[in-house]
Amino acid sequence: MPSSEYVYAPPPPSPPPRDALISSDLALASKAAPPPSLAREPKALQVRPYPKTKIPSDRAHLMMSRFAWGYSRELMTQMRHAGGPDAWFEDQLKPTAVPDHVCDAFNTWYPDRNQSAKVKWDHVFNGRKGSWEYAVDLANWSLLRRTASRRQLLEVMVDFWSNHLHVPSIHDTAWSWRNHYDGVLRHGALGKFDDLLVAASLHPAMLLFLSTDQSTKEHPDENQGRELLELHTVGVDAGYTEKMVKDSAKILTGFTVNTWRNWKFRYDPEIHWTGKVKVLGFESDNTDPDGRAVTKAYLRYLAHQPATARRLATKLAERFVSDAPSSDLVTSVADAYLASGTSIRAALRALVAHPDFDASAGAKVRNPIEDFLATVRVLGVTAKRPLKKFDWPFAEAQIWMCKGQYPFMWPRPDGLPLSNDAWSSASQVLGSLDTHYSLSGGWVGDKGSAHYHQSDWWLPQPQLRFDAFVDHLCRMLLGRESTPRLLKAACQATGVDPADKVNKRHELVQWLMPRLLTAILDTPEHLTR
């Protein structure tokens, strides 16, 4: 059997080749004019509004922050055309009714994703493509979809379930089925959880990741039986015992994959453990060697448990409301989930209808992936097809801007943390600054591999006072009006006074615009959602 060292090679660091570009940009600036004095304090800190640039309502902004990958001008327009944020939310709950032609085109950008598991393994053994490269393709394809899709709620919920029912795309064997698994989560992301749990738990990617493919009646492997209870459904406080964990594993035997042969999924009644099993309130004589019916009944039983409802409601509230959701919110979401037969849509409707939701604006800190996506969206960066003429196309460079938290590559089965503490370190702030500055300057990807707005595009009229310009940019980038604190930060970052007149020949537009955009993005208003 080939070793994992033979099959895997870690992704190369691929540092963005922007250092030389930044150096030349600063050199050009130094020749054209002396650098601004960053120590100069503005004489006035009174915000001058620019009301021509409209901003969303608080409810609309919150919906964009939680159920889309960040606020954008385009999404604000879509919400208005839908009839408001709540009407937009209802439309998003039915994603197949929302046209998404831009994302349909992305399917042709990474055709290798859809190869069979056997073909992928053949390519790895023949040296044509590394397993980590398949993982990167899936990550980049997903980032493109999250940035551009009109089905924003679907993309957010695919990420939620990818985290809850986590299978890493870099696992030694599961990687070859991980793209197909993404399709399963995508299909069930807004349906019923009992259907999703059955589909995900019995998928080859999950079987390979949690060793069920090696589990037999002689030697049942407890890994998936335990994670199914601890992570995916009822949780550690549900009262199950070690014997129940063993019975959980026995129920799952029979589902397997032809590893190191053709990598096909199959059910083998010869390896299914038979005999009486009991897990919490689920009991079965389990006498039939074909245990598929028993397994599916067991999974649906777990999905309908009050403990599962409360666990899922808590995770949804932690993701979309706050780190410490109220008991009343969790109960409301759990009750809606159970009353609807495990409907994910019903749970989400209960969540957004609760008063805690509206009161939670800015309560969640963005992780590096969320920060990158939100920044791309507000800056209006659009990727182009990664052609061979590009050494480092944006569509393939974007994953490296997620500061080590690459999509689907968390190694443990528990998924990325949801708490603010995990993403509130000094290194995270510095990483965000690098992301904001790189994207503001157009330094991610080869020239021509993405569309970036030119500096003078941000000017809403030929000439404008700097304080009014800052307010316009805050409305464009944050969806909010400027504040004295934001204006002060903008003045200090650029050395421009509030009353200075800015036009396209001004030094700010000529070479300092990345500093200004970054100063506005490096704020709690953008780093939280």
Side-chain angles (χ1 to χ4, degrees):
M1 181 181 297
S3 68
S4 60
E5 287 79 6
Y6 177 82
V7 175
Y8 281 88
S14 297
R18 73 191 195 293
D19 294 343
L21 291 173
I22 296 175
S23 297
S24 62
D25 178 68
L26 295 177
L28 178 63
S30 65
K31 292 178 182 178
S37 172
L38 298 181
R40 190 162 37 132
E41 286 286 340
K43 296 178 180 178
L45 288 175
Q46 185 173 359
V47 172
R48 180 177 290 260
Y50 192 81
K52 291 181 181 179
T53 304
K54 303 302 180 183
I55 58 175
S57 66
D58 290 344
R59 176 77 169 182
H61 197 286
L62 184 59
M63 284 284 194
M64 295 183 208
S65 298
R66 301 291 170 78
F67 294 110
W69 291 101
Y71 151 82
S72 73
R73 306 301 292 179
E74 181 182 3
L75 182 52
M76 188 173 76
T77 300
Q78 291 170 15
M79 280 192 177
R80 186 173 68 250
H81 288 168
D86 290 282
W88 171 86
F89 181 77
E90 280 299 317
D91 290 345
Q92 290 287 302
L93 290 173
K94 303 178 286 291
T96 55
V98 179
D100 206 17
H101 304 307
V102 172
C103 282
D104 292 342
F106 294 150
N107 293 330
T108 65
W109 290 19
Y110 301 97
D112 292 354
R113 289 186 311 105
N114 297 314
Q115 292 169 346
S116 69
K118 183 180 184 305
V119 170
K120 289 178 178 178
W121 278 100
D122 288 344
H123 285 179
V124 167
F125 290 137
N126 294 332
R128 290 185 58 186
K129 190 163 187 169
S131 54
W132 67 267
E133 292 178 285
Y134 284 103
V136 168
D137 282 355
L138 174 60
N140 280 323
W141 177 79
S142 298
L143 290 173
L144 288 170
R145 293 190 65 90
R146 294 176 190 183
T147 301
S149 179
R150 291 175 61 90
R151 300 170 183 171
Q152 284 284 292
L153 176 58
L154 173 63
E155 296 301 323
V156 168
M157 290 308 296
V158 169
D159 179 68
F160 178 85
W161 294 120
S162 296
N163 212 44
H164 181 71
L165 300 167
H166 181 57
V167 174
S169 59
I170 53 171
H171 179 262
D172 280 1
T173 55
W175 68 267
S176 57
W177 275 99
R178 185 57 181 79
N179 182 73
H180 190 276
Y181 183 70
D182 182 83
V184 168
L185 298 182
R186 196 168 286 280
H187 177 76
L190 289 166
K192 290 194 171 183
F193 181 70
D194 57 0
D195 292 333
L196 179 61
L197 183 65
V198 170
S201 300
L202 304 182
H203 191 275
M206 185 71 77
L207 301 177
L208 290 164
F209 175 45
L210 296 180
S211 309
T212 300
D213 66 304
Q214 304 297 317
S215 186
T216 66
K217 60 185 178 184
E218 291 85 6
H219 302 287
D221 188 293
E222 297 176 19
N223 199 6
Q224 186 175 1
R226 185 180 304 277
E227 304 298 6
L228 177 61
L229 295 168
E230 179 179 337
L231 295 179
H232 300 164
T233 58
V234 293
V236 293
D237 298 325
Y240 59 83
T241 64
E242 281 299 306
K243 184 180 184 304
M244 291 179 185
V245 170
K246 295 179 186 296
D247 281 359
S248 180
K250 291 172 181 176
I251 292 170
L252 293 168
T253 54
F255 294 89
T256 189
V257 177
N258 289 333
T259 52
W260 310 112
R261 296 191 295 278
N262 58 17
W263 295 96
K264 289 185 177 180
F265 164 79
R266 66 189 175 93
Y267 187 82
D268 186 355
E270 295 296 323
I271 63 173
H272 175 63
W273 190 94
T274 56
K276 190 172 182 62
V277 289
K278 182 178 186 301
V279 181
L280 298 173
F282 179 85
E283 295 185 61
S284 174
D285 291 334
N286 187 35
T287 56
D288 191 342
D290 188 341
R292 284 175 284 190
V294 171
T295 304
K296 292 176 182 178
Y298 169 57
L299 293 170
R300 292 187 185 279
Y301 163 83
L302 291 177
H304 285 261
Q305 288 305 292
T308 299
R310 195 157 189 88
R311 175 167 172 73
L312 290 178
T314 300
K315 288 196 73 171
L316 286 167
E318 288 173 344
R319 171 69 184 265
F320 297 117
V321 181
S322 74
D323 283 6
S326 69
S327 178
D328 185 66
L329 171 61
V330 172
T331 298
S332 296
V333 176
D335 287 349
Y337 168 91
L338 290 172
S340 62
T342 78
S343 169
I344 298 166
R345 290 185 177 92
L348 291 174
R349 287 190 179 107
L351 188 146
V352 301
H354 197 277
D356 286 2
F357 178 71
D358 279 337
S360 70
K364 295 296 296 180
V365 174
R366 286 188 166 121
N367 68 33
I369 299 172
E370 293 167 341
D371 179 38
F372 168 76
L373 291 168
T375 304
V376 169
R377 285 170 62 78
V378 296
L379 290 176
V381 183
T382 54
K384 297 182 181 179
R385 190 184 185 97
L387 303 174
K388 291 183 179 179
K389 67 178 181 178
F390 300 125
D391 291 330
W392 195 61
F394 180 92
E396 295 178 2
Q398 53 183 341
I399 184 177
W400 309 115
M401 298 305 297
C402 294
K403 306 308 176 191
Q405 301 305 328
Y406 311 126
F408 318 126
M409 295 189 193
W410 186 259
R412 302 196 310 251
D414 56 349
L416 284 171
L418 299 177
S419 66
N420 288 344
D421 287 347
W423 312 113
S424 301
S425 66
S427 61
Q428 165 66 5
V429 173
L430 290 172
S432 292
L433 186 152
D434 181 71
T435 295
H436 302 158
Y437 191 51
S438 299
L439 288 168
S440 295
W443 297 311
V444 180
D446 291 338
K447 184 177 181 180
S449 67
H451 174 264
Y452 290 93
H453 292 307
Q454 297 298 312
S455 292
D456 59 358
W457 181 88
W458 294 100
L459 273 172
Q461 61 189 53
Q463 183 164 287
L464 190 65
R465 275 178 55 120
F466 182 67
D467 48 9
F469 185 38
V470 170
D471 186 60
H472 163 72
L473 288 177
C474 287
R475 292 164 180 259
M476 292 288 287
L477 299 179
L478 305 176
R480 297 180 172 96
E481 298 172 353
S482 181
T483 64
R485 180 178 59 85
L486 281 164
L487 177 57
K488 180 178 180 179
C491 291
Q492 290 181 329
T494 61
V496 180
D497 282 335
D500 285 357
K501 300 294 178 61
V502 177
N503 56 42
K504 66 180 181 180
R505 295 181 300 278
H506 192 279
E507 61 181 17
L508 175 71
V509 178
Q510 289 295 309
W511 57 76
L512 293 177
M513 189 63 75
R515 283 191 186 180
L516 176 56
L517 298 177
T518 300
I520 294 172
L521 293 171
D522 279 349
T523 57
E525 288 82 357
H526 181 70
L527 293 171
T528 60
R529 56 179 176 86

